[in-house]
Amino acid sequence: EHKRTLEAMEELGDLYRRNGYLEKAFPYYSDALATRRERWGDEDPRTLDSMEDMGELLQDQGKLEEATPYFTHVLEVFRRTHGNESTKTLSAMEEMGELLFYQKRYEESFALFQEKLGVQRRKLGRKHPFTLNTLALLAAYLDISDRDEEAALSMYIECLEGCRLAHGGDSPQVLTLLAAIAGHLFDDLERYDE
């Protein structure tokens, strides 16, 4: 198939997916992925993009087990070809971490998010917006899963301090974190005085 035909197929699949027609998106993603695999193999960047799209679609459909091999393959290839600290690998870690979280495989999910957070802290610094975003996401996942309430609170507070420095005291990010901390203190930790 011609390159533009493949792109059009994926764009049509994207359009269906964005508008909630997940079943209609599937054949477009599936055909594009099959063609790219056949033409360029499983490690070509275009094929990996199609694998990510297919994994996300399956995840959106609630087919978490079916999505797993796609995200796993993409992460493994990026680790091998780009190293553990590239932006592509970090993005794949987050996608895989989210999938594992939805599968209630919390320890594996948190390990990926902590690995990503460690890389971002080393490369970007503790107060960089990307680092703070990962920290907030990890705190929220710890909070939602009821795994380690005190660690979640500590992460929320660290993120709040960073956001105050980066965005000011009354920014939307700070206000969102304050609401999350208040809810966490009240609902989860039953610390009503704080």
Side-chain angles (χ1 to χ4, degrees), residues 24-89:
K24 288 184 176 186
F26 185 84
Y28 295 101
Y29 283 165
S30 180
D31 289 348
L33 176 57
T35 302
R36 286 185 168 159
R37 278 181 146 163
E38 182 180 312
R39 182 175 288 168
W40 296 298
D42 280 354
E43 296 194 7
D44 184 86
R46 295 163 288 198
T47 306
L48 294 172
D49 286 344
S50 288
M51 285 185 178
E52 285 180 329
D53 290 342
M54 180 61 82
E56 290 169 1
L57 175 65
L58 291 167
Q59 183 174 318
D60 290 348
Q61 291 175 323
K63 298 175 181 177
L64 303 181
E65 294 303 319
E66 291 178 48
T68 302
Y70 295 105
F71 287 125
T72 300
H73 179 76
V74 169
L75 179 56
E76 288 172 354
V77 171
F78 284 155
R79 281 188 191 273
R80 191 175 65 254
T81 59
H82 297 286
N84 290 332
E85 297 190 356
S86 78
T87 55
K88 288 182 177 288
T89 304

Side-chain angles (χ1 to χ4, degrees), residues 13-193:
D14 289 343
L15 181 64
Y16 278 129
R17 182 172 160 229
R18 280 194 307 270
N19 287 290
Y21 298 105
L22 303 180
E23 293 301 322
K24 288 184 176 186
F26 185 84
Y28 295 101
Y29 283 165
S30 180
D31 289 348
L33 176 57
T35 302
R36 286 185 168 159
R37 278 181 146 163
E38 182 180 312
R39 182 175 288 168
W40 296 298
D42 280 354
E43 296 194 7
D44 184 86
R46 295 163 288 198
T47 306
L48 294 172
D49 286 344
S50 288
M51 285 185 178
E52 285 180 329
D53 290 342
M54 180 61 82
E56 290 169 1
L57 175 65
L58 291 167
Q59 183 174 318
D60 290 348
Q61 291 175 323
K63 298 175 181 177
L64 303 181
E65 294 303 319
E66 291 178 48
T68 302
Y70 295 105
F71 287 125
T72 300
H73 179 76
V74 169
L75 179 56
E76 288 172 354
V77 171
F78 284 155
R79 281 188 191 273
R80 191 175 65 254
T81 59
H82 297 286
N84 290 332
E85 297 190 356
S86 78
T87 55
K88 288 182 177 288
T89 304
L90 295 176
S91 177
M93 278 183 198
E94 183 169 321
E95 288 183 355
M96 187 73 202
E98 288 177 355
L99 177 68
L100 292 167
F101 182 84
Y102 297 139
Q103 292 174 330
K104 298 187 182 348
R105 294 165 57 184
Y106 298 126
E107 296 308 317
E108 295 168 84
S109 173
F110 297 146
L112 279 175
F113 279 109
Q114 287 170 332
E115 181 182 358
K116 179 182 180 190
L117 181 61
V119 170
Q120 289 176 315
R121 282 178 167 165
R122 273 192 319 279
K123 288 184 75 171
L124 304 173
R126 299 179 80 81
K127 305 304 180 198
H128 190 279
F130 292 160
T131 306
L132 294 172
N133 185 58
T134 300
L135 183 64
L137 191 57
L138 182 56
Y141 282 162
L142 283 171
D143 185 3
I144 292 166
S145 67
D146 296 324
R147 303 296 287 177
D148 189 341
E149 301 295 344
E150 290 297 330
L153 179 60
S154 175
M155 288 179 185
Y156 276 138
I157 290 171
E158 181 182 345
C159 191
L160 176 65
E161 291 168 357
C163 284
R164 280 184 170 150
L165 288 173
H167 305 292
D170 59 353
S171 71
Q173 295 89 339
V174 168
L175 297 176
T176 299
L177 282 165
L178 284 172
I181 291 170
H184 186 67
L185 286 170
F186 188 80
D187 296 335
D188 300 327
L189 297 176
E190 298 179 2
R191 289 163 55 179
Y192 305 115
D193 296 338

